[in-house]
Amino acid sequence: MKPLLEALWYILPAYFANASPVVFKGKTPMDFGRKFRDGRRILGDGKTWRGFLGGLLTGTLIAAIQYCLTPDFYGSLDTALKLGFALSLGALLGDLIGSFIKRRMGMPRGYPAVGLDQWGFLIVALILAYPIKTLSTGQVLFLLAVTPFIHWAANILAHKLGWKNVPW
Ligand code: CTP
Ligand code: MG
């Protein structure tokens, strides 16, 4: 596989984990409606348990499918599942950190935060996945460069499909 294609193949579970909560969207917010000491919500109603667990499951399942298609890329199913889980968990945690920061800045749920929305999930996913399977510096830079465009296109699609109220 070409290195750039390989990088996209590697990160796919993180993309799915980041995007699938919009389909799963649950009711119970992860902060249980609680407020931070600044009087604003800790995370907000956009981060639910169902979305989080659904994202974790979807991302890990994608890695299992990827293993069936390219077993040599992963070496073993165990590695593929661990990588898929780490990428998904990282993507979801990165998204939560993003929401926490947005709430601290007084931004309401769904408000676009350029940079945070596109890179937060990616960076934490890359950090958690790194010990399981590494990418080259060039591949990491490539993902940092293309992810905002992919994120943007995926959100427009989700909006057109009626899954999201706002196209960002
Ligand atoms: N979602 C969810 N649980 C998560 C993440 C997302 O249920 N852990 C669902 C919510 O319905 C959310 C939608 O997916 O509104 C889109 O996700 P995202 O853009 O990350 O959330 P926002 O609504 O923009 O909220 P925030 O401002 O906190 O990012
Ligand atoms: Mg959003």
Side-chain angles (χ1 to χ4, degrees):
M1 231 192 290
K2 294 234 166 59
L4 299 187
L5 211 62
E6 201 179 271
L8 289 173
W9 190 241
Y10 174 101
I11 206 69
L12 207 62
Y15 286 169
F16 270 86
N18 183 248
S20 55
V22 83
V23 181
F24 285 99
K25 55 166 85 99
K27 263 207 174 123
T28 312
M30 295 189 79
D31 64 7
F32 297 105
R34 278 185 302 214
K35 293 189 168 122
F36 197 61
R37 52 170 179 254
D38 56 11
R40 298 189 179 114
R41 284 287 294 277
I42 301 175
L43 300 170
D45 285 331
K47 306 293 122 128
T48 68
W49 283 104
R50 200 182 134 98
F52 187 87
L53 296 173
L56 208 55
L57 207 73
T58 306
T60 310
L61 194 73
I62 290 296
I65 296 169
Q66 286 180 290
Y67 174 74
C68 296
L69 298 173
T70 59
D72 294 345
F73 181 69
Y74 298 100
S76 70
L77 178 62
D78 188 59
T79 304
L81 291 178
K82 276 188 189 145
L83 189 67
F85 185 80
L87 284 167
S88 305
L89 186 66
L92 289 153
L93 287 179
D95 189 48
L96 293 185
I97 294 168
S99 290
F100 179 80
I101 295 172
K102 282 161 79 173
R103 296 303 89 83
R104 302 292 69 75
M105 290 168 73
M107 297 174 178
R109 171 201 179 170
Y111 192 89
V114 179
L116 215 51
D117 284 341
Q118 295 82 5
W119 284 314
F121 83 93
L122 176 69
I123 291 168
V124 182
L126 287 172
I127 292 170
L128 292 202
Y130 194 78
I132 301 159
K133 187 171 164 66
T134 57
L135 285 178
S136 71
T137 309
Q139 285 175 314
V140 171
L141 291 177
F142 169 71
L143 288 178
L144 286 169
V146 296
T147 299
F149 298 100
I150 295 172
H151 189 267
W152 172 70
N155 278 302
I156 288 178
L157 184 72
H159 177 63
K160 286 229 155 76
L161 290 171
W163 293 344
K164 251 187 125 161
N165 294 331
V166 287
W168 50 76

